[in-house]
Structure formats: structure tokens, C-alpha cells
Amino acid sequence: EAGVAQSPRYKIIEKRQSVAFWCNPISGHATLYWYQQILGQGPKLLIQFQNNGVVDDSQLPKDRFSAERLKGVDSTLKIQPAKLEDSAVYLCASSFQQGQGSGYTFGSGTRLTVV
Amino acid sequence: TQLLEQSPQFLSIQEGENLTVYCNSSSVFSSLQWYRQEPGEGPVLLVTVVTGGEVKKLKRLTFQFGDARKDSSLHITAAQPGDTGLYLCAGGDNNNDMRFGAGTRLTVKP
């Protein structure tokens, strides 16, 4: 089974620029998550989708971050404009079903550096 | 907000030693998961525990979920250099997705 695909693997941008990340989850996984992992910390949930609907975006900084999951498959996460503190690894994960007991499969992440 | 505290934050041991890392919270979880993350990769699921007092074994790794479902431990027997990585616990309740702790960074020296 193919894993969760993310691109790009690395991105370096200047502050105030825009950036977009792409995620293709495991086929058949209805639930998709975007996490932000700052160096030395655990992953922090940004947004959760169930099919193409948003389930939880309470920790998404909506003034600069946006995400969509058109057609309930691929997803994109955008930052506009980026700040220095957005430097982190952005992880996408998917699971077969929402909630407890359903293990997440993570992609390798996109490492963003804002300079 | 569910907060998961993991300890120790860093652990460096010699090959062949045993170790235990902990994951604690004041919240009750319906399930708790342990992941291992290697540099440049995403976390990989090791185990899910859902029943208070549950013990699961995965080769040299033993996972325990506390009776009150607020805490968990991971014990590694005869650690090997391949066990090196960041060990993350994640907990959730029936309505919420999983929230992660900050992790324990384990280094096993040959």
C-alpha cells in the first residue's frame, strides 16, 4: 500500500512570502490531518478533514493559514504571508476513520524555513 | 485541552540496557498511541491501547496503559542502536482527534 505522499520535501522562503504544501493520503482514508512540528516539540494539530469537510480547525491561525481538501482526496495547506515563527515541519497524516483507536499514517513532511 | 507530558525529555543509554519512558496527563483518554519518529521522517505508529490496565508487547517493547487511562509507559528491553529516535505519545477522547506530547528523544550508543 502506498503511503501518504507530501511535497515538496523542503522549502525556503523569505518572510511575507506565500507557500503551499500538498498531501495525497492513503487511498480510502476518509480522515486527513495537517500537523505543525516545531523543532524540539511534538506535532500540533492544525486542521482535520473528514472527506472534504472540516472537522476541527480550532488551532489553525486563520489570518494567514488556509487549507482545503477538494473532492475529499488530496489536500493543500497554504501560508500567506509567512512569518519567521512558521519555520517547522508540516506533517500530513491520514486515517481510515475518525477518532479513537484509528492509527494515523504520516507522510515524511515538508520542512519549511522562513528567513 | 488535553496536555500530555512526556519524561524524560532526553535519554542516552548504552546498547543492551533497559529503559522506561513515561506519558502522563490529568485528562482521561479513550485511547492512547505511541509513535517513533526518526530524523527527516514522519512518526510511525507503534501501538494503540484503549483499555485501562492494558499491556501490549511488541518484541522488546512493552506498552502499558494506566488503570485510570491517564498515563502510559513504554519499556524497552535490551535496547539496540536501531531503537534510537523520538518516541511520541498521543491521546484522544471519543470526540477529539489525537493530541501529541513533546516526545522523549532516545539515543542508544553501540
Side-chain angles (χ1 to χ4, degrees):
Chain A
E1 152 180 278
V4 175
Q6 288 191 248
S7 66
R9 284 299 307 269
Y10 306 93
K11 191 74 176 178
I12 300 175
I13 62 172
E14 295 182 349
K15 59 184 180 183
R16 292 187 289 273
Q17 285 187 325
S18 301
V19 65
F21 314 126
W22 173 81
C23 172
N24 179 238
I26 290 176
S27 177
H29 280 195
T31 311
L32 184 147
Y33 311 82
W34 283 101
Y35 281 85
Q36 179 194 59
Q37 187 173 24
I38 294 172
L39 187 64
Q41 299 181 18
K44 170 190 163 187
L45 179 70
L46 293 175
I47 190 167
Q48 177 188 348
F49 291 95
Q50 181 73 14
N51 296 309
N52 61 348
V54 175
V55 174
D56 183 358
D57 63 357
S58 58
Q59 297 190 88
L60 187 73
K62 298 181 186 64
D63 58 333
R64 298 184 300 106
F65 286 65
S66 64
E68 60 182 8
R69 191 183 183 197
L70 299 177
K71 301 180 182 178
V73 182
D74 293 5
S75 178
T76 56
L77 176 69
K78 297 179 181 178
I79 308 176
Q80 179 180 9
K83 294 185 176 181
L84 296 176
E85 58 261 36
D86 298 332
S87 293
V89 175
Y90 290 84
L91 295 163
C92 177
S94 68
S95 65
F96 181 69
Q97 61 186 19
Q98 178 183 348
Q100 63 158 345
S102 186
Y104 294 7
T105 301
F106 281 87
S108 297
T110 295
R111 182 175 296 277
L112 174 68
T113 303
V114 183
V115 297
Chain B
T1 302
Q2 306 152 335
L3 294 178
L4 284 157
E5 296 186 0
Q6 293 192 243
S7 61
Q9 188 176 358
F10 299 96
L11 185 58
S12 181
I13 61 171
Q14 292 294 135
E15 181 176 3
E17 293 184 352
N18 301 332
L19 67 113
T20 303
V21 297
Y22 302 91
C23 175
N24 296 294
S25 175
S26 57
S27 301
V28 176
F29 295 106
S30 60
S31 69
L32 192 141
Q33 297 174 347
W34 284 92
Y35 293 78
R36 185 173 76 202
Q37 185 177 23
E38 298 187 24
E41 298 297 328
V44 175
L45 180 67
L46 296 174
V47 76
T48 299
V49 287
V50 297
T51 304
E54 182 176 3
V55 177
K56 282 191 174 179
K57 291 193 175 185
L58 184 66
K59 297 183 180 178
R60 295 177 293 102
L61 278 61
T62 301
F63 304 86
Q64 185 163 9
F65 201 13
D67 290 340
R69 290 186 287 128
K70 292 182 178 181
D71 54 83
S72 181
S73 63
L74 159 60
H75 181 80
I76 302 179
T77 304
Q80 299 175 0
D83 296 328
T84 293
L86 178 67
Y87 288 82
L88 294 159
C89 68
D93 64 25
N94 286 327
N95 298 315
N96 288 340
D97 41 80
M98 308 299 282
R99 307 288 169 146
F100 284 80
T104 292
R105 189 165 298 278
L106 172 66
T107 303
V108 183
K109 301 175 186 176

